[in-house]
């Protein structure tokens, strides 16, 4: 995936809390689980929405297990200075994510009109405080419905390749962000509130919520090279089949069954599923990508997930 070199980026959608060397690493609960253990504990909140299940309180209960995070202040001056153009996005990951956020929100603004309320992504390093409690880099990217913010430690993308074996790439990063903004859309439309908190299983509302967010990410991807920026030209200039294949590879590696098999001791327990299987995540992302229509993402209306 490439961005238009002469595009003008707007870092205003990012709250950068990484200044001053970043926050300290949160002391993980549960007997020193470490990053892999905490990922399994929360079924890897990546692409999970950190409040998944329809409740800010549920999100807080997960994060409160992680301990207290260091309060970090935001300073966007450095980001604004370094992320000015599409060429910057092609050169630096932090700027590429700025471009992704802009494109994703432009898409939803055009799709939902006045029903869409833009929100920021918080860059943090190590740990930070959120409306859902304290979070660490081990939590993975998530959306907190309590403060309507997406949280991201950019080091996660390296974890996705090094620990999960994903191929990675710019479009994989964009898929992650598009999924989290899919949770924001669900919150705005009231879908999240209809899901009973804490209930898991292969047909649970939590799984349906996650698969719908994957599908929403796919609908954005369908339009990614045509969504205009403020200049009227598309911000994203090129999206290849290799990009799509890499996103599908990532989706497969964050399915409940893959995580439990490879990071959870090898035993698959469908009763604890909260995000969907690898095959389901791939299939619903593909549904959105193929149709480009959010109306085709009603995972709550089907008996066949």
């Amino acid at each position: 995936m490439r961005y238009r070199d002469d595009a003008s980026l707007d870092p205003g959608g990012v709250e950068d809390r990484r200044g001053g060397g970043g926050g300290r690493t949160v002391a993980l609960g549960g007997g020193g689980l470490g990053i892999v253990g905490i990922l399994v504990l929360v079924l890897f909140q990546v692409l999970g929405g950190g409040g998944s299940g329809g409740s800010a309180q549920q999100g807080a209960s997960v994060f409160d297990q992680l301990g207290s995070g260091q309060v970090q202040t935001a300073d966007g001056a450095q980001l604004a200075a370094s992320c000015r153009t599409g060429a910057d996005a092609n050169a630096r990951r932090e700027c590429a994510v700025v471009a992704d956020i802009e494109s994703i929100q432009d898409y939803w603004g055009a799709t939902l009109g006045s029903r869409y309320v833009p929100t920021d992504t918080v860059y943090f390093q190590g740990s930070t405080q959120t409306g859902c409690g304290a979070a660490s880099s081990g939590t993975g990217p998530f959306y907190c419905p309590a403060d309507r913010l997406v949280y991201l430690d950019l080091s996660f993308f390296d974890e996705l390749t090094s620990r999960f074996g994903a191929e990675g790439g710019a479009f994989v990063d964009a898929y992650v962000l598009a999924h989290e903004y899919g949770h924001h859309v669900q919150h705005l439309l009231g879908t999240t509130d209809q899901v009973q908190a804490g209930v898991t299983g292969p047909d649970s509302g939590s799984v349906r919520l996650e698969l719908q967010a994957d599908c929403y990410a796919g609908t954005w991807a369908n339009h990614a090279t045509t969504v205009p920026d403020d200049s009227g030209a598309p911000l994203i200039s090129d999206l290849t089949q290799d990009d799509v294949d890499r996103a599908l590879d990532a989706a497969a590696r964050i399915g409940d069954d893959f995580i439990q098999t490879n990071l959870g001791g090898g035993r698959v327990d469908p009763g604890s599923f909260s995000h969907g299987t690898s095959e389901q995540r791939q299939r619903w992302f593909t549904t959105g990508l193929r149709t480009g229509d959010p109306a085709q993402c009603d995972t709550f209306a089907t008996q066949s997930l």
Side-chain angles (χ1 to χ4, degrees):
M1 183 172 76
R2 287 192 61 82
Y3 307 91
R4 199 179 85 248
D5 281 341
D6 63 350
S8 179
L9 299 187
D10 178 10
V14 174
E15 180 182 325
D16 193 354
R17 299 183 187 175
R18 298 172 299 165
R24 64 178 175 85
T25 301
V26 170
L28 300 180
L33 288 169
I35 188 168
V36 173
I38 199 65
L39 297 184
V40 173
L41 173 66
V42 297
L43 281 180
F44 203 31
Q45 288 290 326
V46 55
L47 308 188
S52 171
S55 165
Q57 287 72 28
Q58 181 193 13
S61 70
V62 171
F63 295 124
D64 286 346
Q65 297 177 50
L66 303 177
S68 298
Q70 175 178 317
V71 176
Q72 294 173 309
T73 58
D75 181 2
Q78 182 176 348
L79 197 67
S82 60
C83 299
R84 296 182 176 182
T85 68
D88 295 329
N90 287 321
R92 289 188 291 278
R93 171 173 276 160
E94 65 176 4
C95 302
V97 173
V98 167
D100 297 337
I101 294 166
E102 186 172 346
S103 176
I104 293 164
Q105 298 213 89
D106 284 346
Y107 164 70
W108 283 113
T111 301
L112 296 180
S114 61
R115 291 180 295 170
Y116 186 73
V117 180
T119 195
D120 292 347
T121 289
V122 176
Y123 285 0
F124 71 96
Q125 184 177 351
S127 67
T128 194
Q129 289 289 347
T130 83
C132 295
S136 79
S137 56
T139 312
F142 64 94
Y143 173 74
C144 174
D147 57 20
R148 295 188 176 187
L149 293 172
V150 174
Y151 289 87
L152 171 66
D153 186 324
L154 291 169
S155 67
F156 159 75
F157 295 124
D158 294 326
E159 293 287 340
L160 188 56
T161 57
S162 64
R163 290 190 180 274
F164 285 77
E167 296 175 0
F171 186 62
V172 173
D173 299 355
Y175 159 51
V176 170
L177 267 295
H179 177 104
E180 298 309 332
Y181 274 90
H183 283 306
H184 179 54
V185 169
Q186 291 169 326
H187 181 64
L188 293 176
L189 297 181
T191 309
T192 310
D193 294 333
Q194 300 173 23
V195 175
Q196 185 176 356
V199 177
T200 60
D203 296 315
S204 64
S206 177
V207 167
R208 293 175 188 273
L209 202 69
E210 297 302 330
L211 296 179
Q212 185 179 63
D214 276 336
C215 188
Y216 282 166
T219 66
W220 163 76
N222 174 282
H223 298 278
T225 58
T226 59
V227 176
D229 61 14
D230 291 341
S231 74
L235 194 160
I236 296 173
S237 61
D238 184 51
L239 183 63
T240 68
Q241 184 59 49
D242 179 64
D243 292 322
V244 172
D245 291 343
R246 286 170 178 266
L248 290 171
D249 167 72
R253 295 175 186 276
I254 51 177
D256 285 325
D257 52 345
F258 182 93
I259 292 173
Q260 291 183 2
T261 298
N262 293 277
L263 295 175
R267 187 177 71 87
V268 176
D269 175 19
S272 68
F273 283 3
S274 62
H275 290 66
T277 67
S278 297
E279 186 275 333
Q280 288 173 324
R281 303 203 72 162
Q282 289 181 316
R283 178 155 46 87
W284 281 99
F285 173 77
T286 301
T287 296
L289 177 65
R290 185 184 70 251
T291 66
D293 180 8
Q296 302 303 312
C297 297
D298 190 355
T299 54
F300 294 87
T302 180
Q303 296 301 311
S304 179
L305 288 175

